[in-house]
């Protein structure tokens, strides 16, 4: 059993769980080193973790998965959770009292299957436990994120070079994603965001067929994936020269990011990092335009839910966490949602910017 499994088992023991069902792909990958489309992990007290996947994926699973217990199911005769229930019954824990589940991911059909099979059991939400474990990175994980950040830098150069009047947002995204794939990214870390004009005010502006017009701001947000680990990088550019108001606002966003990064260190509270950025906007009486969150952890997802850099948060930041700042910005209908985002590593001495792309405009 690896140290990761030992740490998780200790957390589950503290919750007095007899078993846990993990189905979220990022959690399965974190513990097993492999996650096919239809796979899961069953953990039972005093037992080795058991990986379960569709029988057609078994050859690759047995070659790549770092767990010794690899089990399969045959669809449609069997279901993933049904097979995992069968495995649990064979472990010596046939009637668990408390079962850990990911309530933010498990579908209703699977949840009902568990309640039907174990009517006396309490189902306990364990996603926050796994999120906290995933938040602190090993040297190997940090190495993968660094590589993903380097690829994102290359992709951003290609995307910015493609911005021009009449070019569609989809074309800009295509240029970025082509470069990422050629450089070794397994996939985009998320659907590439390219937003022009009023679409910069959207929270998640996936690239659309819209064509860019002179004078518009263009927000590009992208990330690469290396060995399962993500990066996150966002830049704002303009179709032609920016107006003085656009230029001033973008500089203010960058200054807020710099202030937040300065506060990003081991032992700091997430709310303190948020407040550092908010004070920069408050200097221009623009703090009311900010949402309550400015950054998220980065790892097997580009947006993880521990830590979250949000207003008044008491979450303590730890060495070797990785955080993206600023994922959100001041959303102003007159100017747009101009953004600057980078991936930062919290080192022993403070934050280190892993995405290196810079623009002269800043």
């Amino acid at each position: 059993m690896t140290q990761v499994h030992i740490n998780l088992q200790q957390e589950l023991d503290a919750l007095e769980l007899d078993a846990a069902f993990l189905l979220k792909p990022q959690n399965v990958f974190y513990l097993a080193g492999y996650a096919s489309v239809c796979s899961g992990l069953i953990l039972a007290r005093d037992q080795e973790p058991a990986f379960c996947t569709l029988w057609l994926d078994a050859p690759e699973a047995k070659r790549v998965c770092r767990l010794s217990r690899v089990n399969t199911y045959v669809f449609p005769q069997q279901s993933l959770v049904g097979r995992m229930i069968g495995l649990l019954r064979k472990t010596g824990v046939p009637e668990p009292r408390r079962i850990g589940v990911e309530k933010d991911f498990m579908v209703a059909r699977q949840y009902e299957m568990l309640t039907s099979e174990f009517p006396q059991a309490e189902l306990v939400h364990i996603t926050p436990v796994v999120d906290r474990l995933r938040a602190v990175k090993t040297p190997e994980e940090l190495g993968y994120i660094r590589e993903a950040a380097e690829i994102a830098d290359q992709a951003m150069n290609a995307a910015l070079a493609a911005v021009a009047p009449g070019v569609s947002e989809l074309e800009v995204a295509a240029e970025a994603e082509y470069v990422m794939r050629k450089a070794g990214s397994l996939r985009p870390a998320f659907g590439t965001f390219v937003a022009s004009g009023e679409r910069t005010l959207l929270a998640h502006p996936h690239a659309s067929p819209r064509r860019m017009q002179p004078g518009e701001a263009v927000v590009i947000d992208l990330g690469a994936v290396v060995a399962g680990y993500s990066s996150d990088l966002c830049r704002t550019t303009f179709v032609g020269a920016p107006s003085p108001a656009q230029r001033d606002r973008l500089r203010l966003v960058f200054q807020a990011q710099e202030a937040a990064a300065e506060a990003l260190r081991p032992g700091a509270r997430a709310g303190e990092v948020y407040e550092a950025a908010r004070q920069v906007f408050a200097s221009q009486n623009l703090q009311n335009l900010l949402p309550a969150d400015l950054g998220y952890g980065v790892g097997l997802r580009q947006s993880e839910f521990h830590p979250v850099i949000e207003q008044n948060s008491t979450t303590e930041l730890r060495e070797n966490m990785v955080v993206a700042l600023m994922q959100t910005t001041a959303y102003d209908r007159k100017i747009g949602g101009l953004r600057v985002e980078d991936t930062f590593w919290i080192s022993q001495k403070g934050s280190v910017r892993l995405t290196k792309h810079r623009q002269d405009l800043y």
Side-chain angles (χ1 to χ4, degrees):
M1 189 177 292
T2 68
Q3 188 60 49
V4 167
H5 300 121
I6 293 172
N7 293 344
L8 177 59
Q9 191 61 59
Q10 290 174 343
E11 295 282 353
L12 300 183
D13 288 346
L15 293 173
E16 299 182 342
L17 298 182
D18 298 308
F21 286 72
L22 296 180
L23 300 172
K24 187 181 290 188
Q26 292 85 5
N27 290 342
V28 174
F29 185 93
Y30 180 67
L31 292 160
Y34 175 79
S36 55
V37 174
C38 302
S39 62
L41 201 63
I42 181 74
L43 297 98
R45 190 185 298 276
D46 301 324
Q47 301 286 328
E48 288 288 325
F51 179 82
C52 189
T53 190
L54 189 68
W55 68 276
L56 289 168
D57 293 327
E60 183 175 67
K62 291 178 179 178
R63 179 175 57 83
V64 177
C65 181
R66 56 172 168 252
L67 301 179
S68 59
R69 296 178 61 198
V70 175
N71 303 269
T72 63
Y73 70 100
V74 179
F75 184 83
Q77 297 94 317
Q78 298 173 304
S79 70
L80 173 59
V81 170
R83 178 74 169 106
M84 293 169 71
I85 289 171
L87 291 170
L88 178 60
R89 291 196 181 281
K90 294 178 181 178
T91 63
V93 191
E95 296 298 333
R97 296 175 299 105
R98 286 168 60 85
I99 301 174
V101 297
E102 302 149 319
K103 290 186 178 180
D104 60 329
F105 187 81
M106 180 175 279
V107 299
R109 181 180 66 254
Q110 295 167 332
Y111 193 88
E112 290 172 351
M113 186 179 296
L114 283 177
T115 57
S116 175
E117 289 288 332
F118 305 112
Q120 303 303 316
E122 178 185 1
L123 302 188
V124 180
H125 183 42
I126 62 169
T127 293
V129 170
V130 187
D131 285 347
R132 288 195 297 270
L133 290 176
R134 283 171 44 188
V136 178
K137 306 301 189 290
T138 65
E140 182 180 35
E141 290 175 309
L142 288 171
Y144 294 142
I145 296 172
R146 285 182 185 276
E147 290 183 47
E150 291 172 3
I151 294 174
D153 289 337
Q154 298 175 44
M156 184 60 72
N157 284 330
L160 292 172
V163 171
V167 174
S168 74
E169 295 171 358
L170 283 173
E171 290 175 276
V172 173
E175 294 294 331
E177 292 177 11
Y178 176 76
V179 167
M180 282 194 284
R181 290 282 195 177
K182 288 285 286 184
S185 178
L186 295 176
R187 59 185 177 276
F190 51 96
T192 302
F193 296 171
V194 181
S196 56
E198 291 185 356
R199 295 190 75 246
T200 62
L201 293 168
L202 298 175
H204 301 99
H206 291 100
S208 78
R210 186 183 188 278
R211 296 191 178 276
M212 302 169 188
Q213 304 301 316
E216 291 183 335
V218 181
V219 171
I220 303 169
D221 194 347
L222 53 83
V225 177
V226 173
Y229 288 84
S230 302
S231 58
D232 201 352
L233 172 66
C234 182
R235 292 290 181 263
T236 298
T237 189
F238 301 91
V239 185
S243 68
Q246 289 173 324
R247 183 184 293 270
D248 290 346
R249 178 60 53 82
L250 188 55
R251 284 177 172 160
L252 188 70
V253 173
F254 181 70
Q255 290 164 7
Q257 186 202 47
E258 291 276 271
E262 182 67 25
L264 199 67
R265 61 186 183 276
R269 304 291 178 176
E272 295 170 357
V273 179
Y274 178 94
E275 183 61 20
R278 194 193 73 84
Q279 287 295 334
V280 174
F281 283 98
S283 70
Q284 301 297 317
N285 200 29
L286 295 172
Q287 67 274 17
N288 292 335
L289 296 177
L290 284 175
D293 58 325
L294 292 175
Y296 290 78
V298 176
L300 292 170
R301 282 172 47 95
Q302 95 290 352
S303 274
E304 305 214 315
F305 295 98
H306 191 87
V308 178
I309 307 303
E310 57 188 337
Q311 194 168 25
N312 301 323
S313 172
T314 59
T315 297
E316 182 178 348
L317 303 176
R318 297 175 58 189
E319 183 180 352
N320 292 332
M321 285 181 170
V322 179
V323 175
L325 294 173
M326 300 163 51
Q327 285 198 347
T328 53
T329 187
Y331 295 97
D332 188 333
R333 293 190 178 279
K334 295 179 181 179
I335 296 178
L338 311 189
R339 309 180 209 184
V340 175
E341 182 185 15
D342 286 277
T343 303
F344 293 87
W345 162 45
I346 304 177
S347 75
Q348 185 179 22
K349 297 180 180 179
S351 69
V352 176
R353 189 188 302 262
L354 299 183
T355 42
K356 306 295 186 183
H357 181 274
R358 302 299 288 241
Q359 283 180 255
D360 293 339
L361 182 63
Y362 301 148

